Amino acid sequence: MTADVLNTALPALAVMAGALLPALLATLHGRPAGRLAGLIVTGPLVTLVLVLLAAAYGRPAYLDVALVLALLSFAGSLVFARFLGRTL
């Protein structure tokens, strides 16, 4: 872990964490369409946080977790959208 990568990754992590809070609140509360939008935004944000953590701390295992999370969040969004389409 070099100081240059860590100095770049930590402010980016702070910005991503700040953006994650409203997305999580939208996912947990509100109408179903708002929850779907929150779910669609939350998946890539958490994936980017894990990629930044992998870069900052030199842990390639976090990249595997980020890849699996990206695939599962995309699939979860599609399933939720399908069920939402049935109720409208």
Side-chain angles (χ1 to χ4, degrees):
M1 167 176 59
T2 65
D4 188 38
V5 172
L6 192 60
N7 288 336
T8 305
L10 287 180
L13 281 170
V15 169
M16 293 293 170
L20 193 59
L21 182 65
L24 283 175
L25 288 176
T27 303
L28 295 175
H29 302 290
R31 297 185 356 212
R35 289 181 178 192
L36 177 61
L39 180 66
I40 290 171
V41 170
T42 303
L45 279 175
V46 174
T47 302
L48 287 173
V49 166
L50 287 172
V51 168
L52 285 172
L53 283 172
Y57 293 112
R59 306 261 179 161
Y62 291 159
L63 291 175
D64 297 338
V65 174
L67 177 64
V68 170
L69 178 69
L71 293 173
L72 289 177
S73 68
F74 177 70
S77 298
L78 289 178
V79 169
F80 191 38
R82 181 176 175 129
F83 287 131
L84 183 63
R86 287 184 183 174
T87 60
L88 293 177

